[in-house]
Amino acid sequence: MRLRSEKPADRQEIRKLTVRAFTDPDAAREPGEAALLSELYSCEGYLPEYSVVAEVDGHLAGHAIATRGWLDGDIPLLGLGPVSVDPGDQKQGVGTALLNEIRDRAAQRGERAIILLGEPEYYRRLGYVPAMPHGIIPSDPSWGDYFMVLNLSPMPLPKGNFRYAEPFGV
């Protein structure tokens, strides 16, 4: 597996990958995550260094993106997602590798924390913990333990209301 930053030429394949990863067989329309990606690429919160692809045997097997989010409007944090792994490449470490790569890049660049909305059982093994008990409040409190944080600093996490990049709408 080879991890690298995405290039604009990858975006059409990343979109197809995201559609495959998130398509509900019972749904008649394209998953929202695919449209969200297009908006993230052109928003103020887009950070190219945190848009990473995984190549396996010459094809894109996965993609993850983190964009700038804000705690109380002035404390910069990263908001992770979407994370897409091609269904044929799932359960082979692609998602974990992407998440670890973004974590390592963020830590090297001095980011304070990464926020995500995801399955607690999966993300806990990567060091994420529920954010609300640490005083980081989502725009939708019903997210509960699915709203998670990974502290990248030896300092305590800052407290406040978190807002994802504008295209998330939350």
Side-chain angles (χ1 to χ4, degrees):
M1 179 180 342
R2 178 176 168 241
L3 300 174
R4 63 171 175 80
S5 295
E6 61 97 357
K7 302 173 197 162
D10 295 323
R11 291 182 182 171
Q12 184 175 356
E13 189 56 39
I14 290 169
R15 184 181 178 93
K16 291 177 187 175
L17 162 75
T18 302
V19 168
R20 289 191 303 273
F22 285 97
T23 293
D24 176 350
D26 297 327
R29 60 188 232 273
E30 185 175 84
E33 290 83 357
L36 174 62
L37 272 177
S38 297
E39 293 178 37
L40 289 174
Y41 290 138
S42 61
C43 82
E44 193 174 297
Y46 173 64
L47 304 166
E49 63 271 25
Y50 300 121
S51 183
V52 180
V53 296
E55 294 179 326
V56 174
D57 298 328
H59 76 278
L60 289 186
H63 172 257
I65 188 169
T67 50
R68 178 63 63 218
W70 297 95
L71 198 63
D72 284 345
D74 64 350
I75 300 171
L77 300 179
L78 292 176
L80 183 69
V83 177
S84 307
V85 177
D86 195 290
D89 293 296
Q90 291 178 1
K91 301 192 185 313
Q92 296 180 38
V94 174
T96 298
L98 287 164
L99 292 167
N100 288 338
E101 180 70 13
I102 287 184
R103 178 205 60 215
D104 293 348
R105 289 179 181 203
Q108 289 170 355
R109 288 172 174 83
E111 297 285 350
R112 294 279 307 267
I114 302 172
I115 301 286
L116 64 77
L117 186 60
E119 176 55 52
E121 197 169 306
Y122 178 83
Y123 289 101
R124 273 194 185 107
R125 66 186 181 83
L126 299 169
Y128 287 85
V129 296
M132 290 194 319
H134 291 278
I136 300 175
I137 309 303
S139 56
D140 183 346
S142 72
W143 293 342
D145 286 351
Y146 290 86
F147 182 68
M148 305 185 80
V149 62
L150 176 66
N151 190 356
L152 300 173
S153 166
M155 298 171 48
L157 288 164
K159 296 177 181 354
N161 296 299
F162 182 75
R163 299 286 299 174
Y164 281 97
E166 188 64 35
F168 283 95
V170 292

